[in-house]
Structure formats: C-alpha cells, structure tokens
C-alpha cells in the first residue's frame, strides 16, 4: 500500500513527527539558539527576492527532515504536477485548477481538456490593456462626453477582496487622477457611501462576478444602474458607456444590458479566491497601468516556477506550509497572525483570510472521509505597529500559542524622516521578544518589585517567520500572493482536502434566497423554520412596520 493512500495520521512520517515532538517539546527557542550559533543561517532561505527567516520556529534539527518526508508521503510532488498538467484536481466540481496559467508568459503551454489556455489568457490581457489605456488617457468618455475619473468595482468575496487588497497595496504606483471605490456588501450603506460624492457622468462601474448571479453583486449592480440613469437623464444607452463586466457568463452580462464587447472573460478553472490576476484584476490594471500589471504577473510567475521546480527543502511555499502543519497539528496552534509592517498591505490579512480559510476550512478528505486532525488554522492580522498597541498582548502573555508571519521591507515607498527605521526596529523587536521572552531572573535584575514579577515575565518560545524583501513593488506583491496560494495548496495536499471548492459559501447563498420572499411578502407567509428563525423573521417584520 502506498503511503499516499494511508490516512494522514497513519503515515510513517506523521507517527515519527508525533514521537519527535514528544522528545523535543521541552527544548525552548532559548535552548535551541544557544545550542547552535549557526541556527539563523541554517534556517533561513532567500528565493525570488524574498528572504525568509524561519529559525524562530520551535523546530530542532530532526524536525524539517521529518516534515519533508511527510510532504513526500502525502504525494505533494504528484499533486503539483497534476495542477500544472491541468488535471481536474478540484474533484467535487470536476474542474481543473489553473490560476498559474493566468500569469504564464506567452509561449508556455498549459492545457485543459487538451486545449492550450495560455493564448486565451493573453487575448483577454490585451483587451484589458486596450481598455485600460483608453480610460487612463481619457479617450474613453462617458455618455455626456466627460472623461472617467471614478471607478467603482462591484463584486464580493473573490471578486472583491483581491481587487481591494491589490489597489491598496499598489496605490503608490497608481494614477492619482483616478479615484477607486469598492462595493461588496448587500447592505445599502456600502453603495450609498461609495457613490455619495461622485458625478455619474464621470463614473465607470466594473461589475465583477464570475457567475453573474451572486445576489449581493446583482443587487448592487441594479442600484448602480438606477443611480446612473437617474443622474444622466434616464437614457438606457448611457449604460454601455458606464458599465463593463468581468465574468464567465456572457449571456447574463448581456441580459443586464452590458455590451458584450465590454465584457472581460475568464474561465471555470479559475477559483474566485484565486482570481485577482485574471480579468477580476481590471481595476488593478486601471490603477497601476498595463506595464506594472505585467510586472505583477511576472512576479506571480516567478513564484510559480520556484514552487514547481525547486526541491522541497529549498522551496519557500513548501517550507512555510510544513511549518504551519507542524504548528497546527503537533504544537496545537489554532490560528496564524499575519502581520505586515507595511501600511500599504493593510488589506493583505483580510485577503489571506479568504484564500486560506475558504480553501482549507474543510472537515472531510478528498475521498469524503471525516478527518481526525485539524485542518486550516484561522488566519487573521493587522498591519504593524497598530496591532502592537492592541492584540499583541495576548500573543506575548496570553495562554494560546499564536504563530506569527511578519512581513517587512527594507525600503519605504514613501520615505519620511526616521519612520522606516522605527517601523523595522519594531518588527525585529517583536519577533525577538516573542521567541526569547524575559525570565523572572531578568525581571528581578531590573529591580522590579517581587509582587510584580509574575506579571512582567514573558515566557517567550512563541514561534514566528519573518519575510523580508527590498520594497513592495507590483512584482513583489505577485510573489507574495503566489507564495500564500502555494502554501495553501501544499497544506491541502498534506491534509488531503480539496482547497478549491466552497460548499459552505454556496449554502449561505441558497439559504438567504429562501428567506427573502418571507421578508418581502405583504402578508406573513406560513414560516417553517426553527422557532428561533421564525421568531426573528416575525420580530423584524413587526419592527419594520413601525415608523
Ligand atoms: C471564492 C468564492 C466566493 C466568490 C463570491 C463571488 O473562491 O467562490 O468568494 O468569489 O461568492 O462570486 P461571483 O464572482 O460568482 O459573484
């Protein structure tokens, strides 16, 4: 029997890791660093412009070899090859998973059902570029002849989080005369606030929806259309000049009234949360321009090639994924804090929440067996140093183990006095304090009153990774996103789950549809939910009836 078919906890490497963990658990980061002056050098790695120091993880000399063995026993190599070969590895939806094709240079061949998809990708990119140039140069004008100054992306989930994150991350490179807004929530406040100060004559809506059926997005798109027509005198012909769509569903786009010539397509082998570099990235391209967008794609591709070709022991996504498996499954960590010390990455943790948790938040294996181990940890975070003045207390002195991914850059994009050195001093200090803490003896040596000593002790031994790059460029953003995409892929391979479906999201979409008519109908219909849901619906209707 091959090890791949054994359930995860029965694989030899898993058992060896459990035994190894017992053996080394008493050895703290203080011991591990004291025993090996070369530790930092040994446990760090530079690849595709990213430097990863993973020496502050609770691993001893035998840990990584065993984790690498686990990767091999889990069939990781075969799964990577299957993804790049366009096999339908998204089993539950019978789809290929080929977001790597979105950034493949012309000339690369990646096939789905025997057809090379790379030329299609480049055809859409060329169409996006032509459109982006017209908007950026002001040669695309609105219904009244004014140039477009405001761009509103309407989309949700994978059709929103990537565009918002990328816009914020790359704002430094954006054309400042264009103003970008993002509307996702079906809560009307999102739309109303987004357009409050905009002139419809200067506004372009990008309706981003893979399916073009998502309730939130369709509702916002209809409101946008009404808002536009109201502002421009009601001529429906105005829609064609102020709406474009990004979708896989041409029929629905046309039915909405958007000219199919202004639809930018993508394909069912791109999952929503893996789509920020497909046409879903149109707002990003409008902001930073085609050249910088291409640079971002090149960054993604560099990381893809690194992941595909470099041996696992020097492979950034593989190593980071294995460390997360170690922290989750052997050290019992339940979350990972992602802490960028770069204000432009303020939406990066939110973006990663979807990428990681929607992908690997699964409780059955690909074969449908309930797992007997933890899968995705909760990912969360905030930019440093803000987090330091809020939740870091719990990371330092709370009762939970919270591994941290620190992300920092050598150069500020907007240098200002001593700010950047202060910022970087903070990130290095935090990782150091988390790892080494402060003992009671050290606290006493500072002359602290005995009654306060327990309060001032830091246990340390808190694991972290530090990722350092020269500066946040479009290429580096591409590499960072691809890094986490492939971390998720590797985790999924080890946990034997399908990172590419999202039945939990589908459930929410269906349930809400069922309740809508029960809220909208004039007369209260017979409610057949549980007593709590029935009560909430009745109470809502009653409250709403009062002025
Ligand atoms: C992503 C999910 C989900 C999806 C949204 C929007 O992987 O499938 O977040 O992106 O539900 O879907 P549409 O793009 O089809 O509107």
């Amino acid at each position: 029997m091959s090890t791949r078919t054994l359930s995860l906890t029965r694989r030899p490497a898993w058992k060896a890791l459990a035994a190894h963990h017992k053996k080394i658990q008493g050895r703290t980061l203080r011991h591990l660093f004291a025993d090996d002056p070369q530790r930092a050098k040994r446990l760090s790695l530079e690849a595709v412009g990213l430097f990863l120091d993973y020496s502050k993880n609770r691993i001893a000399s035998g840990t990584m070899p065993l984790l690498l063995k686990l990767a091999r026993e889990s069939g990781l190599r075969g799964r990577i090859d299957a993804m790049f070969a366009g096999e339908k590895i998204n089993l539950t939806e019978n789809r290929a998973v080929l977001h790597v094709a979105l950034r493949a240079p012309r000339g690369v061949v990646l096939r789905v059902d025997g057809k090379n998809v790379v030329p299609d990708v480049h055809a859409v990119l060329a169409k996006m570029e032509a459109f982006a140039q017209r908007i950026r140069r002001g040669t695309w004008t609105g219904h009244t002849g004014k140039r477009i100054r405001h761009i509103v992306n309407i989309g949700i989930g994978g059709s929103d989080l990537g565009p918002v994150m990328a816009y914020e991350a790359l704002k430094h490179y954006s054309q400042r005369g264009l103003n970008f807004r993002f509307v996702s929530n079906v809560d009307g406040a999102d739309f109303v606030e987004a357009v409050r100060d905009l002139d419809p004559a200067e506004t372009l809506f990008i309706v981003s929806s893979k399916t073009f059926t998502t309730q939130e997005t369709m509702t916002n798109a209809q409101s946008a259309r009404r808002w536009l027509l109201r502002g421009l005198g009601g001529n429906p012909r105005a829609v064609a000049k102020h709406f474009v769509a990004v979708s896989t569903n041409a029929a629905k786009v046309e039915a909405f009234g958007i000219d199919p010539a202004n639809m930018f397509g993508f394909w069912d082998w791109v999952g929503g949360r893996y789509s920020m570099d497909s046409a879903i990235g149109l707002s990003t391209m409008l902001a930073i321009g085609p050249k910088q967008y291409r640079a971002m794609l090149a960054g993604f591709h560099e990381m893809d090639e690194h992941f595909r070709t470099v041996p696992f022991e020097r492979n950034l996504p593989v190593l980071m994924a294995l460390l997360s498996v170690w922290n989750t499954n052997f050290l019992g960590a339940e979350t990972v804090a992602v802490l960028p010390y770069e204000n432009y990455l303020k939406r990066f943790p939110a973006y990663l929440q979807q990428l990681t948790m929607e992908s690997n938040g699964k409780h059955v294996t690909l074969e449908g067996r309930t797992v007997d181990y933890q899968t995705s940890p909760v990912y969360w975070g905030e930019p440093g140093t803000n987090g330091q003045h809020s939740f870091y207390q719990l990371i330092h002195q709370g009762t939970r183990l919270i591994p941290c991914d620190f992300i920092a850059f050598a150069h500020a994009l907007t240098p200002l006095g001593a700010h950047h050195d202060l910022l970087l001093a903070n990130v290095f200090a935090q990782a150091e304090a988390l790892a080494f803490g402060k003992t009671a003896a050290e606290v006493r040596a500072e002359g602290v009153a005995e009654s306060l000593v327990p309060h001032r002790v830091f246990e340390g031994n808190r694991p972290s990774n530090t990722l350092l790059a020269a500066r946040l460029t479009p290429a580096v953003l591409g590499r960072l996103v691809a890094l986490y995409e492939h971390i998720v892929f590797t985790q999924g391979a080890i946990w034997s789950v399908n990172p590419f479906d999202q039945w939990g999201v589908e459930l929410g979409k269906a349930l809400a549809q069922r309740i809508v008519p029960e809220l909208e109908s004039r007369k209260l219909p017979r409610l057949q939910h549980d007593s709590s849901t029935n009560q909430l619906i009745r109470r809502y209707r009653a409250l709403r009836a009062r002025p």
Side-chain angles (χ1 to χ4, degrees):
M1 192 188 221
S2 96
T3 47
R4 163 87 183 87
T5 51
L6 284 175
S7 79
L8 177 56
T9 51
R10 299 180 65 189
R11 288 178 202 149
W14 182 280
K15 291 185 181 166
L17 278 161
H20 172 74
H21 172 244
K22 265 201 192 129
K23 207 169 94 201
I24 69 157
Q25 64 184 342
R27 301 181 65 200
T28 64
L29 286 169
R30 278 194 182 226
H31 298 129
L32 292 163
F33 270 85
D35 290 353
D36 178 5
Q38 295 299 312
R39 183 177 171 91
K41 200 162 164 224
R42 229 169 26 77
L43 301 179
S44 50
L45 172 71
E46 178 148 29
V48 289
L50 299 180
F51 179 75
L52 168 69
D53 181 336
Y54 60 99
S55 63
K56 295 192 185 84
N57 279 281
R58 279 160 54 170
I59 52 175
S61 54
T63 318
M64 286 320 290
L66 285 176
L67 286 166
L68 289 159
K69 187 162 179 261
L70 183 68
R72 286 190 294 274
E73 287 180 3
S74 305
L76 176 61
R77 169 53 53 206
R79 291 194 67 71
I80 295 173
D81 292 345
M83 171 167 74
F84 280 88
E87 284 178 30
K88 300 205 168 151
I89 58 170
N90 176 356
L91 291 179
T92 60
E93 296 180 316
N94 192 30
R95 285 180 183 163
V97 174
L98 261 193
H99 42 277
V100 292
L102 299 170
R103 53 266 191 155
R106 235 184 273 276
V108 170
V109 175
L110 291 168
R111 293 185 202 279
V112 176
D113 291 329
K115 180 179 186 279
N116 180 15
V117 297
V118 178
D120 295 353
V121 167
H122 284 271
V124 173
L125 273 172
K127 187 172 169 182
M128 289 165 66
E129 289 182 1
F131 178 70
Q133 296 295 27
R134 290 179 71 189
I135 295 287
R136 289 167 61 86
R137 292 181 183 145
T139 55
W140 173 291
T141 48
H143 183 62
T144 66
K146 282 189 170 179
R147 73 181 285 177
I148 298 296
R149 294 185 194 283
H150 315 295
I151 291 145
V152 182
N153 186 76
I154 299 180
I156 196 165
S159 301
D160 167 68
L161 287 159
V164 185
M165 182 278 287
Y167 170 67
E168 292 293 345
L170 301 177
K171 200 184 234 168
H172 178 72
Y173 303 89
S174 69
Q175 184 169 316
R176 299 296 176 139
L178 291 173
N179 172 24
F180 288 82
R181 304 271 162 91
F182 298 85
V183 174
S184 54
N185 202 327
V186 76
D187 183 334
D190 205 11
F191 179 78
V192 170
E193 289 295 339
V195 298
R196 167 160 248 130
D197 54 348
L198 305 188
D199 174 359
E202 300 182 330
T203 303
L204 175 82
F205 291 99
I206 305 176
V207 185
S208 296
S209 175
K210 183 174 164 181
T211 54
F212 231 71
T213 55
T214 305
Q215 183 204 53
E216 291 90 334
T217 302
M218 290 304 109
T219 307
N220 278 317
Q222 295 293 355
S223 295
R225 190 195 193 169
R226 276 192 293 275
W227 175 84
L228 183 95
L229 292 179
R230 214 171 32 242
L232 294 181
N235 185 344
R237 293 233 305 274
V239 171
K241 297 295 245 165
H242 294 268
F243 278 82
V244 297
V246 178
S247 187
T248 57
N249 192 339
K252 288 254 187 308
V253 169
E254 209 172 341
F256 182 88
I258 295 177
D259 184 348
N262 300 329
M263 173 182 140
F264 302 86
F266 61 118
W267 307 271
D268 74 356
W269 41 264
V270 184
R273 56 195 172 276
Y274 297 88
S275 69
M276 63 163 272
D277 49 337
S278 70
I280 290 289
L282 184 61
S283 57
T284 314
M285 192 192 275
L286 291 176
I288 64 173
K291 202 166 150 229
Q292 294 286 24
Y293 193 84
R294 291 263 183 194
M296 182 184 81
L297 295 184
F300 269 100
H301 181 66
E302 283 175 279
M303 184 57 77
D304 294 342
E305 283 303 281
H306 171 82
F307 180 54
R308 189 176 68 84
T309 60
V310 171
F312 291 164
E313 45 285 9
R314 284 182 285 118
N315 193 310
L316 279 175
V318 172
L319 292 181
M320 285 183 73
L322 290 174
L323 289 164
S324 74
V325 167
W326 171 250
N327 288 333
T328 302
N329 299 111
F330 297 94
L331 303 190
E334 290 180 342
T335 80
V336 176
V338 181
L339 307 163
Y341 278 64
E342 169 56 80
N343 208 53
Y344 288 111
L345 285 182
K346 61 181 171 205
R347 295 289 290 166
F348 194 59
Y351 172 77
L352 284 188
Q353 283 186 350
Q354 181 189 27
L355 180 66
T356 56
M357 297 198 273
E358 200 169 279
S359 295
N360 286 331
K362 309 288 161 66
H363 76 292
V364 294
T365 64
L366 281 162
E367 296 77 26
R369 282 196 307 264
T370 302
V371 299
D372 57 354
Y373 45 85
Q374 293 287 354
T375 59
S376 181
V378 172
Y379 281 76
W380 59 288
E382 280 289 319
T385 57
N386 299 6
Q388 286 175 218
H389 296 265
S390 135
F391 53 79
Y392 276 39
Q393 166 62 35
L394 184 149
I395 307 181
H396 281 289
Q397 287 190 305
T399 52
R400 294 169 195 281
L401 185 70
I402 307 204
C404 301
D405 284 355
F406 292 105
I407 303 173
F409 299 88
H411 296 278
L413 295 177
T414 48
L416 182 63
H419 284 238
H420 200 65
D421 284 344
L422 292 180
L423 179 70
L424 273 280
N426 272 284
V427 66
F428 298 145
Q430 289 298 323
E432 184 179 27
L434 288 169
F436 304 109
K438 201 186 254 187
T439 63
E442 287 166 340
V443 175
R444 281 190 194 102
E446 288 175 357
V448 170
E450 197 53 36
S451 63
L452 287 181
V453 170
H455 301 277
R456 304 281 293 265
V457 166
F458 292 78
E459 277 179 346
N461 212 22
R462 267 77 167 154
S464 68
N465 292 312
T466 301
L467 275 166
L468 197 56
R471 57 165 62 74
L472 179 59
T473 61
V476 168
L477 181 71
R479 291 178 201 147
L480 266 180
V481 173
L483 168 67
Y484 278 92
E485 286 177 349
H486 300 319
I487 289 172
V488 166
F489 183 93
T490 303
Q491 292 170 330
I494 293 181
W495 291 322
S496 299
V497 299
N498 179 5
F500 304 108
D501 62 10
Q502 57 284 315
W503 299 105
V505 181
E506 313 301 333
L507 173 73
K509 290 186 179 182
L511 289 182
Q513 292 295 5
R514 195 174 138 211
I515 293 182
V516 172
E518 296 170 347
L519 304 186
E520 285 184 335
S521 66
R522 202 114 47 96
K523 255 189 70 194
L524 179 68
R526 208 167 97 79
L527 298 177
Q528 289 182 305
H529 304 274
D530 58 277
S531 59
S532 164
T533 310
N534 288 346
Q535 166 176 269
L536 290 168
I537 292 172
R538 284 196 196 99
R539 179 59 64 119
Y540 169 70
R541 289 181 64 109
L543 281 171
R544 195 186 51 184
R546 289 184 215 148

